[in-house]
Amino acid sequence: SANRFGLLTGQIVSVSNPDLGWLVLISAVVLVGLIVVWNPLRFESLDPQAAEARGVPTRGLSIVFMILLGAIVAAAVHI
């Protein structure tokens, strides 16, 4: 029961050094990805119709954002 609860909520003391390295690497990749797509993502989030009319690839941008979000959640679930 304790293992299941720890898996559900995460435990920062159970993160090993290799896991910490992966967490830092994935976090850096996600941060760089967010920096690259920040302006189009902000434009698309505030006014999707205008962004699409100006040629912002809204569908591709949404997919990239979901991949970045999924990667950081999967990496941080241990914590």
Side-chain angles (χ1 to χ4, degrees):
S1 176
N3 268 346
R4 289 186 204 141
F5 184 72
L7 187 61
L8 178 65
T9 59
Q11 293 179 350
I12 195 156
V13 294
S14 68
V15 178
S16 64
N17 284 338
D19 289 341
L20 188 61
W22 279 108
L23 181 62
V24 168
L25 178 69
I26 291 172
S27 298
V29 168
V30 169
L31 183 64
V32 168
L34 282 176
I35 289 171
V36 167
V37 299
W38 178 254
N39 283 333
L41 181 64
R42 187 178 58 176
F43 184 38
E44 195 267 332
S45 296
L46 294 175
D47 196 358
Q49 289 86 14
E52 193 170 357
R54 292 244 177 141
V56 175
T58 56
R59 182 177 280 281
L61 195 60
S62 296
I63 291 171
V64 167
F65 181 67
M66 286 298 134
I67 289 171
L68 292 173
L69 182 65
I72 200 65
V73 167
V77 75
H78 297 289
I79 297 173

